[in-house]
Amino acid sequence: MEQRYGGLEAGGTKMVCAVVDDKGQWIDRLTIPTKRPTETMSQIVEFFKRNDITSLGIGSFGPLDLKEGSPTYGSLASTPKEGWEGYPLLQAFAELHVPIKITTDVNGAALAEATKGAAKGLDSCMYITVGTGIGAGAVVNGTVLDGLTHPEMGHIPVQRHPEDIYEGKCPYHGGCVEGMAAGPAIQDRWGKAGIELAADQNVWELEAYYLAQAIAAYTFVLSPKRIVIGGGVMKQEQLYPLIRASLVKQLNNYVDIGNPNEYIVAPGLGDNAGIEGAILLAKQAVQT
Amino acid sequence: MEQRYGGLEAGGTKMVCAVVDDKGQWIDRLTIPTKRPTETMSQIVEFFKRNDITSLGIGSFGPLDLKEGSPTYGSLASTPKEGWEGYPLLQAFAELHVPIKITTDVNGAALAEATKGAAKGLDSCMYITVGTGIGAGAVVNGTVLDGLTHPEMGHIPVQRHPEDIYEGKCPYHGGCVEGMAAGPAIQDRWGKAGIELAADQNVWELEAYYLAQAIAAYTFVLSPKRIVIGGGVMKQEQLYPLIRASLVKQLNNYVDIGNPNEYIVAPGLGDNAGIEGAILLAKQAVQT
């Protein structure tokens, strides 16, 4: 029987849906903005129904309840995203009656980059997205990193830059890396969106300082073989060399990361890492 | 043939050596202070020779070169520990002509705690030691966490406590968690060793603040199912409840760690986690 794999990359800004057949052909695709669940979800469920999918993979923004056996498995947990706190995302697709596999958006993207993207062939990598929020997923020993719940890497504490007085935007932790360096923090600190600040060197040096500090922490904790960084803020491609330079400075030769140009890279799958990961999860859902 | 497994827990303060037979009986044991390699290593090599070991497991302080295929595999890398920078630890045992497996001391301890200690039965845990330095190892999906090199979790950046003016003791990163909260930082900040400060509540609340901040970061990055904390500083057992309370406060309900008393625990193997891990590595060395 022909398989029709449905993938949903559920992001804080937009929802990307796709359907792929078992020859890898893309059959249909839908991208809509993430509004309240009532506005957004009926369109998505309708899209997958119309395409008669045989399984579904979901990579979603978080935090998600992914504890085995939890009565709210697959639901959003506490989130500042309006209307989504506690939303039963997995259950919303129950009417499709197909196998579903759900993980975080960034775990899905890390899986995709390690399977067919910029970290192809490595048994260890990280995928970081810098956009509305900051999140990261990881593949360790060839397997997506999971544990008590799922990583929430955007919320690690960072040290304030000596010349920065911005207090941080995270409603939970103030000056965690998401609070200091995600898109909304750039907007809030400088009074303009990142895209309007493209020519301002100070903006991107400070941005790189915080991202490199988080990446130094990830390096100290996880020691990944490669780090893939994507997301809306990284469209400012001048950030890549600035991050590499700041990382080398902050590691201060304590850890040898090899060639920084090979350690910190752009997504090999471009903006498709998230949705490709969701499709890979749909394939896994059929296998299990 | 009877196996005689040799284990070496190579620490910054002391070297613990043991020999165990294949029935699990402890045959011999030696603990000596860690001085310069010339003073220390001949005694250790002699100990293992005398005991006629059939394989050796080493859990060592770091940073170590553990890159596959490296010409300096098994050597110490840059370290502030006098005389040990670049020391070829693995090669020092070449004259024994037995299979040897080497990893970090804390990876060894994490393996031991997950195999037979305080995290027995869990496929994911961390082991943190707080002593001369701060280090941590992890087991993820049942396997010791490894990657580009090995984790160096003690060097993650932490935010300074608003009332703390101490600049940090790490020669590489100043105020990383090791620089703010390892034994030498306690001595340097307060002018006395931790053991003399046992009754001073301020000392341990500040200590718990920094350790909990690091543990929050590890939780956000790794999401371990349990965290085992040992090492000399943790002999101040009042730290355990203080760390749990500070961690809950710092996570601010963003991640559900369950019961903090089950999430943050003392080593199940007491001071033996490191040497038990080394013995487990010696067993693995024979299997591979």
Side-chain angles (χ1 to χ4, degrees):
Chain A
M1 190 192 114
E2 193 204 25
Q3 301 286 342
R4 296 167 74 93
Y5 303 114
L8 166 61
E9 179 194 6
T13 307
K14 61 179 197 255
M15 295 284 186
V16 181
C17 313
V19 178
V20 175
D21 71 15
D22 46 13
K23 291 177 196 69
Q25 294 292 316
W26 291 67
I27 293 168
D28 202 356
R29 194 157 174 156
L30 171 75
T31 301
I32 56 174
T34 305
K35 298 183 178 169
R36 286 170 168 276
T38 43
E39 292 175 67
T40 305
M41 289 303 296
S42 58
Q43 291 181 68
I44 294 173
V45 173
E46 183 50 41
F47 169 83
F48 288 122
K49 259 191 194 166
R50 191 168 71 231
N51 276 288
D52 195 23
I53 59 170
T54 46
S55 67
L56 178 61
I58 305 173
S60 174
F61 70 106
L64 283 173
D65 179 353
L66 294 180
K67 284 196 199 77
E68 281 169 46
S70 166
T72 52
Y73 184 86
S75 295
L76 271 298
S78 63
T79 166
K81 181 83 188 161
E82 211 182 327
W84 288 89
E85 179 158 340
Y87 182 75
L89 182 60
L90 181 66
Q91 272 187 32
F93 297 100
E95 60 182 289
L96 296 177
H97 301 291
V98 298
I100 306 178
K101 189 155 181 173
I102 185 168
T103 187
T104 58
D105 45 6
V106 281
N107 266 348
L111 180 65
E113 289 290 346
T115 306
K116 51 199 286 189
K120 191 175 170 178
L122 298 179
D123 65 354
S124 143
C125 84
M126 276 187 75
Y127 176 90
I128 306 175
T129 180
V130 187
T132 309
I134 294 181
V139 170
V140 172
N141 293 327
T143 308
V144 164
L145 175 63
D146 212 350
L148 181 69
T149 58
H150 58 76
E152 276 293 342
M153 303 202 204
H155 292 274
I156 63 162
V158 287
Q159 293 169 353
R160 191 181 306 277
H161 189 282
E163 289 163 24
D164 187 19
I165 55 162
Y166 181 61
E167 62 192 5
K169 193 147 179 81
C170 175
Y172 293 90
H173 316 103
C176 60
V177 68
E178 176 169 302
M180 297 307 270
I186 296 174
Q187 168 85 44
D188 201 35
R189 180 191 282 111
W190 303 96
K192 288 180 193 171
I195 200 160
E196 299 172 81
L197 296 158
D200 188 336
Q201 181 77 358
N202 290 335
V203 171
W204 305 110
E205 283 190 355
L206 188 67
E207 180 72 7
Y209 168 82
Y210 286 116
L211 295 178
Q213 194 181 147
I215 290 168
Y218 304 149
T219 299
F220 288 134
V221 177
L222 274 176
S223 192
K225 291 185 179 169
R226 186 163 293 163
I227 296 179
V228 181
I229 321 183
V233 170
M234 296 304 298
K235 301 289 183 198
Q236 301 295 323
E237 293 180 4
Q238 68 272 31
L239 273 172
Y240 288 95
L242 292 172
I243 290 169
R244 291 181 192 118
S246 185
L247 176 64
V248 167
K249 196 172 160 191
Q250 293 186 49
L251 290 176
N252 197 16
N253 288 317
Y254 196 74
V255 170
D256 178 12
I257 57 165
N259 182 344
N261 296 323
E262 292 174 15
Y263 189 63
I264 303 286
V265 300
L269 304 171
D271 289 339
N272 286 325
I275 190 65
E276 291 273 10
I279 298 288
L280 287 168
L281 290 166
K283 289 182 184 174
Q284 290 184 358
V286 176
Q287 286 155 11
T288 48
Chain B
M1 190 191 115
E2 195 203 25
Q3 302 285 341
R4 295 167 76 93
Y5 304 114
L8 166 61
E9 180 193 5
T13 307
K14 61 179 197 258
M15 296 282 186
V16 180
C17 311
V19 179
V20 175
D21 71 14
D22 47 11
K23 292 177 194 69
Q25 294 293 316
W26 291 67
I27 293 169
D28 202 357
R29 193 157 176 159
L30 172 75
T31 301
I32 55 174
T34 304
K35 298 184 178 167
R36 287 169 168 276
T38 43
E39 294 176 65
T40 305
M41 290 302 297
S42 57
Q43 291 181 67
I44 295 173
V45 174
E46 183 49 42
F47 169 82
F48 288 122
K49 259 192 196 165
R50 190 168 70 231
N51 277 288
D52 194 25
I53 60 169
T54 46
S55 68
L56 178 62
I58 305 173
S60 175
F61 71 107
L64 284 173
D65 179 353
L66 294 180
K67 284 197 199 79
E68 280 168 48
S70 166
T72 51
Y73 183 85
S75 295
L76 271 297
S78 64
T79 166
K81 181 83 189 161
E82 211 181 327
W84 288 88
E85 179 156 341
Y87 182 75
L89 182 61
L90 182 66
Q91 273 186 32
F93 297 100
E95 60 181 290
L96 296 178
H97 301 292
V98 298
I100 305 179
K101 190 155 183 175
I102 184 169
T103 187
T104 59
D105 46 5
V106 281
N107 266 348
L111 180 63
E113 289 291 345
T115 306
K116 52 198 288 192
K120 191 175 170 179
L122 299 178
D123 65 354
S124 144
C125 84
M126 277 188 75
Y127 177 88
I128 307 175
T129 180
V130 187
T132 309
I134 294 180
V139 171
V140 172
N141 293 327
T143 309
V144 164
L145 176 62
D146 211 349
L148 181 67
T149 59
H150 58 75
E152 277 293 344
M153 302 201 204
H155 292 273
I156 63 163
V158 287
Q159 293 170 354
R160 191 181 305 279
H161 189 282
E163 288 163 25
D164 187 19
I165 55 162
Y166 181 61
E167 64 193 2
K169 192 148 182 82
C170 175
Y172 293 90
H173 315 103
C176 60
V177 68
E178 176 169 301
M180 298 305 271
I186 296 173
Q187 167 85 44
D188 201 35
R189 181 191 281 109
W190 303 97
K192 290 181 194 171
I195 201 163
E196 299 172 82
L197 296 158
D200 188 338
Q201 180 78 356
N202 290 335
V203 171
W204 306 110
E205 283 189 355
L206 188 67
E207 180 72 9
Y209 168 82
Y210 286 116
L211 294 177
Q213 195 182 146
I215 290 167
Y218 304 150
T219 299
F220 288 134
V221 177
L222 274 176
S223 193
K225 292 184 180 169
R226 186 163 294 162
I227 296 179
V228 180
I229 320 182
V233 171
M234 296 305 296
K235 301 288 182 196
Q236 301 294 324
E237 292 181 5
Q238 68 271 33
L239 274 171
Y240 289 95
L242 292 172
I243 290 169
R244 290 181 192 117
S246 186
L247 177 65
V248 167
K249 196 173 162 191
Q250 293 186 51
L251 290 174
N252 198 14
N253 287 318
Y254 196 73
V255 171
D256 177 11
I257 56 165
N259 182 344
N261 296 323
E262 292 174 15
Y263 189 62
I264 304 286
V265 299
L269 305 171
D271 289 338
N272 286 325
I275 189 64
E276 291 272 12
I279 297 289
L280 287 168
L281 291 166
K283 290 182 183 175
Q284 289 184 358
V286 176
Q287 287 156 10
T288 49

